[in-house]
Amino acid sequence: MKELPSFVSNATLMPAMQAPQILALDLDGTLLCHRRSTLSVAHERLIRQVQSLGIDIVLVTGRSLLTTAPIHQRLGLDTPLVCFNGSWIGYPDKRCIAQTRLSAQDVRDAVEILIKYPGSISAYPDMYKWIMHQICPTTENWADIYQTTIHVDRQAFDDWQEPSLKILYGCDEEITNTIIQELRQRFQDRFHIVKSQDDRFEILPHVNKHTGLSALAD
């Protein structure tokens, strides 16, 4: 197991006003093993040690609540979460503190460009629903990796009618930057576009993990 971070190991020596109250953690590539999407025993043990110091753990992730809630439950957390890279803040029982969504027109306009490429478009009409327009080589094992159900419905994207908490696009990493460049040229500053991994990127309203965590703290 990794050593405790210095702020954790020294927390009991700090005056009460200086001790951290919250430890915010990302999931993929941080708390979870990269690519395998699994929580190691060592990381789980570390979380328990941090909690024993009276520090609250807050999960701040690009994931949907659908795939974050099981990890939240396994860790026995009672804190709210920041999901969809800051688009949704709330509790696993759907109690929402704040949310910012793409409009149905936003989704349709983005889909108009994305549909020309061979990747997979995902949209999230609510925090527990994941809809994908098709499976591609990049996304064919995502249901297993994220241990959830992904609804594949191409027709839903022909004339999308609902707001979405974000759009996720998975594709061959060789064309990711090309698509992002086209989106930015077309939409300028209309969306926040973030490349989360080499083979995927997200289209969001103007939020990010920092704004989400700030809203939670407030």
Side-chain angles (χ1 to χ4, degrees), residues 115 119 131-134 151-159:
I115 204 78
I131 303 177
M132 186 181 288
H133 95 290
Q134 68 177 11
H151 299 279
V152 180
D153 185 356
R154 190 179 186 92
Q155 289 185 336
F157 290 84
D158 290 341
D159 186 23

Side-chain angles (χ1 to χ4, degrees), residues 79-114:
T79 48
L81 312 95
V82 177
C83 294
F84 298 100
N85 270 327
S87 288
W88 189 89
I89 302 107
Y91 291 86
D93 62 3
K94 297 187 180 183
R95 279 183 293 158
C96 179
I97 295 172
Q99 68 175 348
T100 306
R101 299 187 292 177
L102 300 169
S103 70
Q105 187 62 55
D106 288 334
V107 177
R108 289 194 293 271
D109 290 346
V111 167
E112 183 181 353
I113 289 178
L114 297 175

Side-chain angles (χ1 to χ4, degrees), residues 1-2 4 39-52 75:
M1 185 182 72
K2 296 179 181 179
L4 287 172
L39 177 65
S40 70
V41 173
H43 283 176
E44 188 172 358
R45 188 181 302 125
L46 179 59
I47 294 301
R48 308 295 183 200
Q49 290 180 278
V50 173
Q51 289 176 305
S52 72
L75 291 172

